[in-house]
Amino acid sequence: MIDVNQQKLKSIEIEILKLKKYFPGAKNAVLGEGSPKARLMFIGEAPGREEDLSGRPFIGRSGRLLTKLLEGIGVDKKDVYITSVVKFLPLKGTPSRKEIELCLPYLWKQIDIIKPKVICLLGNIALNVVIDKNLKISKVHGRPQEKGGITYFPCYHPAAAVRNANLIPILREDFRKLKMLVKRKKFS
């Protein structure tokens, strides 16, 4: 039996799929996956090539690192919800303002449906779009931000750590802080 949140998420999929015409290089929409009742949500930037081919978020190299980081704090990937600001492979590496604006309403709908207690913002794009366009991940990573009754936890994007291994210990430490935050919020 599909739960109500899952039905609501499915209903916005149809709307999101209509945006494909604006992403001519994309093969698939990458909507998000995980528990529709997740108390912990992760938001990345946009799908990469592997995600585009599969239609699933965070399955490439950065996804494998994210999975290891979650396992390192005792969190099962199936118990969280993982999505991105942009739902299709961007025309150029970093999503354009137009690509973000096209997809952003659907990110807000996903958040509204799932109602997570904590949202981990992975990288500058997620941080700038969701919290404040003037913040830098290098300055606020690992420090919770409160906004609208939700606790946001900014972290470097795993893709940055794949490119720069010096960020892996920083990400691990931030995920330890995330684990403590989740414990304080009394859910797992």
Side-chain angles (χ1 to χ4, degrees), residues 8-16 106 109-110 113:
K8 289 177 183 177
L9 289 169
K10 282 280 185 207
S11 72
I12 64 171
E13 280 182 27
I14 296 163
E15 296 174 46
I16 293 169
Y106 302 102
K109 287 179 183 183
Q110 287 175 308
I113 291 166

Side-chain angles (χ1 to χ4, degrees), residues 15 63 144 153-154 167 173 175:
E15 296 174 46
F153 190 85
L167 293 176
E173 178 58 29
F175 268 66

